[in-house]
Amino acid sequence: MSEYKSKEDYLERILMLSEKKGNVRAIDIANDMNFSKPSVSIALKKLKASDLITVNDYGHISLTKKGFDIANEIYEKHKILSSIFIMMGVSEKTALEDACKIEHDISDETFLKIKQFVEKER
């Protein structure tokens, strides 16, 4: 997994977990992503050094504006792509897995056209 994709996955997961449960800690990310706590700690240090997250004294992780913007863009791609795949008859499990693969590599131009198509069809 490329470092760029990994960074996006972590940011997206922090956003998803914060929407679901409010406060997010490293152990929540480790459990949700099935990663070891040390692996998550290393990734979080990199995200913090890149000014994408903050961690308070209680270990609660928050996205910075920059981190939120990246996470939100990836999460939007994930939601739209997976919903299209499900509408096409792909199983939910496969649709979610495939959306996760594509969301990192799809061009902005192609995604914008897909998004416009979906909005027009609704």
Side-chain angles (χ1 to χ4, degrees):
M1 179 184 310
S2 76
E3 188 171 331
Y4 184 74
K5 181 183 181 308
S6 176
K7 174 177 72 171
E8 289 179 344
D9 281 341
Y10 274 100
L11 294 172
E12 179 184 21
R13 194 59 53 110
I14 292 166
L15 176 62
M16 292 166 66
L17 287 170
S18 67
E19 286 182 355
K20 193 185 318 182
K21 58 184 287 163
N23 294 323
V24 178
R25 296 171 300 130
I27 191 69
D28 301 320
I29 297 167
N31 290 339
D32 196 64
M33 296 179 84
N34 262 344
F35 290 167
S36 71
K37 181 116 170 41
S39 295
V40 171
S41 291
I42 291 167
L44 293 177
K45 284 180 186 169
K46 290 178 182 179
L47 294 174
K48 190 174 179 184
S50 298
D51 194 35
L52 297 170
I53 64 166
T54 59
V55 182
N56 72 14
D57 293 340
Y58 300 103
H60 297 146
I61 301 161
S62 299
L63 296 167
T64 63
K65 167 82 168 94
K66 184 175 157 185
F68 176 81
D69 290 345
I70 294 168
N72 198 46
E73 180 181 330
I74 292 298
Y75 192 37
E76 178 186 35
K77 288 177 180 178
H78 183 86
K79 290 188 292 188
I80 289 175
L81 292 170
S82 60
S83 69
I84 289 169
F85 299 153
I86 291 168
M87 285 188 287
M88 292 168 49
V90 176
S91 72
E92 183 176 356
K93 180 181 183 302
T94 301
L96 294 172
E97 290 170 358
D98 288 347
C100 193
K101 294 173 194 168
I102 296 169
E103 68 195 20
H104 301 284
D105 295 323
I106 193 168
S107 71
D108 291 340
E109 177 186 3
T110 300
F111 180 71
L112 178 62
K113 293 301 180 187
I114 290 171
K115 185 176 170 181
Q116 289 170 346
F117 177 80
V118 169
E119 288 169 356
K120 186 173 74 175
E121 293 299 312
R122 286 185 180 165

